[in-house]
Amino acid sequence: MTGILLFVFFIQTQIPAISIGPDALVNLEGLPLLRTGTWLTGTDSHDVTGGNNDGFDAFYSYLYRDGDEYVLYEDQGPGCVYVIRTIGHKGNLRVYTDDSGKAVYTIPFPDLNKGKTSPFLSPLTAFEDESHGSSWCYVPIPYNNYCKLTVDEMDKPHFFNIFAHKYAKGTQVAAFDPNLRLDDAMKWWSDPAHPASLPSASQETPKTISIPAHKKETLLDLKGSGAITEFKIRFPKSSPIESAGNIHLRGYWDGEVFPQVYSPLSTFFALGCPRELDAIKHGDPKKLESKLYIGGVVQPQSLLVGQDNDGWLYCHFPMPFWKSAHLEVLNQSDEEIQIEYVLNVSEETYPKQSGYFHALWRQEAPLRPGEDFCVLDTFGHGHYVGCVITFSSVYGDSPYKQNDYIRGFLEGDARFYIDDNRTPHVASTGTEEYFNWGWYDLLRHDKVFQYPMHGYPVHVLDDQDHSVMYRFHFTDVVPYYRSFRFMLEHGPVGRWPGNYSATAFFYQKETSRLVLTDEIDIGDLTSEEAHGYLCEGTINTDFYLLPYEGGYQLALSDDSAEDREHTLKDFGRVWDKSCTFTAEIEANNNGVKLRRRSYCGFGSEGDLEENRTNPVLTAPQAVEVFIDGQKAGEWTIPSGHARRAWRDTDFEIPAEFTTGKTSISITLRAANNTLWDEYTYWIYTYRSEPTAQ
């Protein structure tokens, strides 16, 4: 390794494989490794009508009822539940895995989260009465071919989110073991600033540099391959930590022209942004001590970024490179600023199946009415691993300032859109719930905190209200193979004013692994004929003009011009026997994704307009999938809450049925006496990984 080197420690490391289940709790070195055959799945209690009844009446707090139990999560195939977040659950959690037909494990929700029942121990779990209004559990629950999680009571209110991974057919997953010991995880999660895999800070001698006003200074410029394994910065007394908002970090890997890392140090390390850091110093004491608001500041200390007890801002994200690495800092203030820093670099070369570390900052001040705030919108193959967001009120004479209630923007839902799927993987029942807490503006719970995976380290008031929150997806990374968007609604219908700024963290290669290779428009005779489409057992044909759930709310009226602008029309069929069609794919493939557009009110009995007071469930759907005459699996859609919207669902076709072929014949055959509706099919091909970096 040659080139300019500015104060770097070289260390030796080992590069592990991707971990599944409990091992993922401590696998820091494996974080850059890009996933294949892994997909995010999960469930939650958000109001499907576009309103704000997210669990308050328990209407949407379960998928469906199974006898005396309420189903929170159900999945076929190998997978692992990584995060269970709940509010209000007092009954028993029952875990069903691998088609046993009986619960393999039962535990009361309070015992699950109070941190005293092995393996559900603190700090991997926390109970809502002691953890700022929300219980959460990060103990993985792996399964080989089936999983169902239920609760035996459904009082109100009941909120929940579950984050899990689905794995490709044939993936070997160890069964859930309630006697499992998690000693390594307990050690690191109890002291997030000091991973055991990194060298001791006491062995490091920092370098101090001065950055002139409006100038940049280089921290690292290397030629060759390796990985930054730890990056630390501290502000000496001559430059207080409020200066962090004026220093921007920029990182370039392998000669890229545009920075893959671009963020103020304040947001990068979960401190907040310049205005909010200044508010910490100048916050109004009377407001901070009021009965309604509890302000304050704590040191952020997550597994990945934060501030240790010696004042060091630390970053544990591994940052691999194969040709070169360049890190620099830019002083955007009018005064010279000093910093101390330490960089640890490994000379080990990461495998080519790894992504570049990205940390990109953006802001909207003010937010756009009726449009979600975009935390991240990216294209390529990678996985999202978290964010730091600053929320600031903008009320003035606004009608939104009512009875000092100025943080209504936190009623907005978080939504993930993965690989062009227009149906969101809804990640929360509100903004603060995405960050694993609840009941903001309530005296008992609205207190600053920091945990290994999420935190609320800043809440201050000057003339406005400022909050800083972080959330990381360390075990439950969000894989994508083509594209990823993280959109954050502001307010219950996306119109509450505010100023947001965010740094999103992710690993990515810019080359997509997933390409659209064919599309079948059901009901279009030309498209059907071109694909040899045949259907047996047609029940009826349907035509709908509908929106997708998401940024533009379902609450819009049918005759609204805005509603029509954000809807699309499609024609389709409902059948009870089978359909067959051919689809083009690429020969050099590693499997195929089959996507279907369907109606999310399908099979429901009841008036969807009454969904707010009398929730309506969809009928379950299931088909057997055959590829060129061979059964590739079963495509199941469990019962769920109906809504007047389109829904995209996916089925993953394993590579054993597609490799080397340029076209495939797909047959869907009704299973379990269910009906199937179809409007459009898209066929995406997973390209095999390039042979060279």
Side-chain angles (χ1 to χ4, degrees):
M1 185 178 291
T2 60
I4 301 173
L5 175 61
L6 295 181
F7 211 73
V8 174
F9 290 94
F10 288 100
I11 61 174
Q12 296 295 319
T13 62
Q14 294 182 346
I15 308 302
I18 294 170
S19 296
I20 293 176
D23 291 342
L25 292 167
V26 293
N27 189 358
L28 176 62
E29 293 85 354
L31 196 56
L33 301 177
L34 296 180
R35 274 55 178 171
T36 58
T38 302
W39 301 274
L40 179 75
T41 187
T43 51
D44 62 81
S45 55
H46 81 284
D47 183 343
V48 303
T49 68
N52 198 43
N53 192 3
D54 298 317
F56 291 101
D57 290 320
F59 288 162
Y60 310 107
S61 300
Y62 57 96
L63 297 180
Y64 64 92
R65 190 166 180 173
D66 186 1
D68 294 331
E69 299 177 44
Y70 300 85
V71 178
L72 303 183
Y73 176 82
E74 188 174 21
D75 183 43
Q76 299 276 356
C80 183
V81 174
Y82 282 109
V83 183
I84 302 175
R85 186 201 70 86
T86 58
I87 296 176
H89 288 64
K90 303 178 181 66
N92 294 301
L93 173 70
R94 292 196 173 112
V95 179
Y96 298 80
T97 60
D98 301 335
D99 293 331
S100 63
K102 297 181 180 180
V104 299
Y105 188 72
T106 299
I107 183 173
F109 265 97
D111 291 346
L112 175 77
N113 295 303
K114 283 190 173 181
K116 298 179 180 179
T117 303
S118 183
F120 302 101
L121 299 174
S122 175
L124 302 176
T125 67
F127 187 56
E128 59 194 82
D129 287 345
E130 294 104 30
S131 64
H132 310 279
S134 185
S135 297
W136 40 268
C137 172
Y138 277 87
V139 176
I141 301 176
Y143 52 93
N144 234 333
N145 54 54
Y146 177 74
C147 180
K148 182 172 69 173
L149 304 180
T150 71
V151 62
D152 56 9
E153 60 85 32
M154 192 52 63
D155 203 352
K156 59 182 182 181
H158 266 31
F159 302 84
F160 82 99
N161 299 93
I162 293 175
F163 287 83
H165 282 170
K166 291 173 64 73
Y167 301 115
K169 180 182 177 181
T171 303
Q172 296 300 309
V173 179
F176 171 65
D177 180 5
N179 297 313
L180 180 72
R181 292 185 62 88
L182 299 171
D183 295 344
D184 290 342
M186 295 285 292
K187 181 178 180 181
W188 182 22
W189 286 54
S190 297
D191 185 12
H194 300 101
S197 60
L198 296 179
S200 171
S202 63
Q203 299 174 0
E204 303 161 1
T205 305
K207 172 76 172 181
T208 301
I209 61 169
S210 296
I211 314 166
H214 303 291
K215 298 293 183 180
K216 63 181 181 181
E217 291 291 336
T218 297
L219 303 182
L220 175 71
D221 194 10
L222 292 177
K223 303 297 182 183
S225 62
I228 298 172
T229 59
E230 186 178 37
F231 172 42
K232 303 201 310 184
I233 282 182
R234 185 166 61 181
F235 288 83
K237 292 182 180 180
S238 58
S239 297
I241 197 168
E242 285 81 7
S243 303
N246 293 315
I247 301 295
H248 282 224
L249 176 68
R250 298 193 295 202
Y252 305 79
W253 317 122
D254 292 352
E256 279 293 318
V257 175
F258 297 101
Q260 291 118 311
V261 175
Y262 178 79
S263 174
L265 293 181
S266 51
T267 312
F268 187 93
F269 292 105
L271 294 172
C273 280
R275 182 179 174 190
E276 289 68 48
L277 283 170
D278 186 64
I280 293 173
K281 182 182 292 185
H282 303 292
D284 187 332
K286 293 182 180 179
K287 290 183 179 180
L288 294 180
E289 295 173 1
S290 72
K291 293 182 179 179
L292 181 60
Y293 293 106
I294 298 233
V297 180
V298 295
Q299 289 178 313
Q301 289 193 349
S302 79
L303 297 185
L304 298 167
V305 299
Q307 184 180 31
D308 67 20
N309 295 332
D310 295 322
W312 282 101
L313 303 174
Y314 63 85
C315 171
H316 296 152
F317 280 107
M319 307 178 192
F321 53 92
W322 290 265
K323 299 176 184 177
S324 63
H326 182 88
L327 274 182
E328 63 186 27
V329 284
L330 172 66
N331 181 0
Q332 295 194 331
S333 76
D334 295 328
E335 299 178 356
E336 182 176 87
I337 296 176
Q338 284 190 331
I339 63 169
E340 301 173 278
Y341 74 95
V342 171
L343 284 163
N344 287 328
V345 176
S346 169
E347 293 185 282
E348 294 285 345
T349 300
Y350 263 78
K352 62 183 181 64
Q353 295 272 8
S354 306
Y356 293 106
F357 172 71
H358 291 67
L360 298 181
W361 175 78
R362 67 181 310 276
Q363 65 176 338
E364 288 182 14
L367 298 167
R368 293 170 291 182
E371 297 186 38
D372 290 356
F373 172 68
C374 181
V375 179
L376 176 63
D377 189 356
T378 188
F379 185 87
H381 175 204
H383 48 269
Y384 165 75
V385 291
C387 66
V388 177
I389 304 183
T390 295
F391 307 89
S392 293
S393 65
V394 180
Y395 59 89
D397 296 326
S398 168
Y400 286 95
K401 183 180 182 291
Q402 300 172 357
N403 300 321
D404 291 325
Y405 180 72
I406 60 177
R407 289 203 290 173
F409 44 71
L410 294 180
E411 293 298 324
D413 293 335
R415 300 188 256 257
F416 295 164
Y417 297 86
I418 301 172
D419 293 336
D420 295 355
N421 195 314
R422 296 181 66 175
T423 297
H425 283 69
V426 179
S428 73
T429 57
T431 298
E432 86 276 20
E433 278 100 344
Y434 173 69
F435 295 92
N436 284 351
W437 66 291
W439 310 115
Y440 67 90
D441 284 350
L442 291 184
L443 188 65
R444 180 181 179 187
H445 299 301
D446 193 354
K447 301 176 183 179
V448 292
F449 59 83
Q450 50 85 6
Y451 292 112
M453 282 295 142
H454 61 281
Y456 171 36
V458 175
H459 182 205
V460 297
L461 286 90
D462 47 12
D463 59 330
Q464 302 291 343
D465 184 291
H466 311 284
S467 303
V468 178
M469 303 176 204
Y470 64 84
R471 165 72 186 275
F472 292 107
H473 297 259
F474 181 61
T475 57
D476 57 323
V477 300
V478 184
Y480 55 92
Y481 301 91
R482 177 178 175 86
S483 63
F484 176 75
R485 279 190 300 134
F486 178 14
M487 308 295 287
L488 190 57
E489 182 187 31
H490 45 101
V493 293
R495 295 185 178 276
W496 205 284
N499 293 333
Y500 285 12
S501 63
T503 294
F505 301 89
F506 59 107
Y507 288 91
Q508 178 177 281
K509 284 183 178 177
E510 274 59 43
T511 302
S512 171
R513 285 287 302 278
L514 190 65
V515 293
L516 180 64
T517 51
D518 212 341
E519 178 180 339
I520 299 95
D521 186 357
I522 301 301
D524 183 293
L525 296 180
T526 301
S527 180
E528 290 185 353
E529 182 177 352
H531 295 89
Y533 175 87
L534 295 172
C535 181
E536 294 185 14
T538 298
I539 301 297
N540 58 50
T541 57
D542 283 324
F543 171 84
Y544 285 109
L545 177 66
L546 296 169
Y548 278 92
E549 184 182 3
Y552 290 92
Q553 302 303 312
L554 302 178
L556 298 173
S557 63
D558 288 341
D559 57 356
S560 163
E562 186 178 11
D563 188 26
R564 291 195 299 272
E565 179 183 353
H566 298 290
T567 58
L568 58 86
K569 58 184 178 181
D570 206 352
F571 176 91
R573 283 189 178 84
V574 177
W575 48 260
D576 65 357
K577 290 186 179 179
S578 68
C579 77
T580 299
F581 53 88
T582 60
E584 293 184 2
I585 61 175
E586 292 187 359
N588 183 26
N589 72 74
N590 191 34
V592 168
K593 179 190 293 289
L594 175 61
R595 176 170 294 160
R596 172 192 63 144
R597 177 186 291 148
S598 64
Y599 172 45
C600 203
F602 176 76
S604 57
E605 296 181 2
D607 186 356
L608 294 190
E609 299 303 326
E610 298 178 359
N611 215 8
R612 295 178 186 274
T613 56
N614 185 26
V616 179
L617 298 180
T618 62
Q621 293 184 298
V623 292
E624 295 177 305
V625 181
F626 295 85
I627 305 300
D628 294 327
Q630 293 183 290
K631 186 175 179 179
E634 191 168 290
W635 192 353
T636 60
I637 312 296
S639 180
H641 295 285
R643 66 206 79 173
R644 292 186 62 257
W646 294 119
R647 173 178 60 180
D648 291 349
T649 57
D650 296 339
F651 179 81
E652 304 296 338
I653 303 174
E656 64 185 278
F657 299 96
T658 61
T659 301
K661 299 177 181 179
T662 57
S663 68
I664 54 176
S665 173
I666 301 173
T667 296
L668 307 179
R669 187 173 299 161
N672 303 330
N673 296 315
T674 63
L675 303 180
W676 188 260
D677 72 321
E678 55 187 15
Y679 293 83
T680 300
Y681 289 102
W682 295 271
I683 291 82
Y684 290 86
T685 299
Y686 288 95
R687 285 177 169 164
S688 296
E689 182 73 12
T691 56
Q693 176 66 39

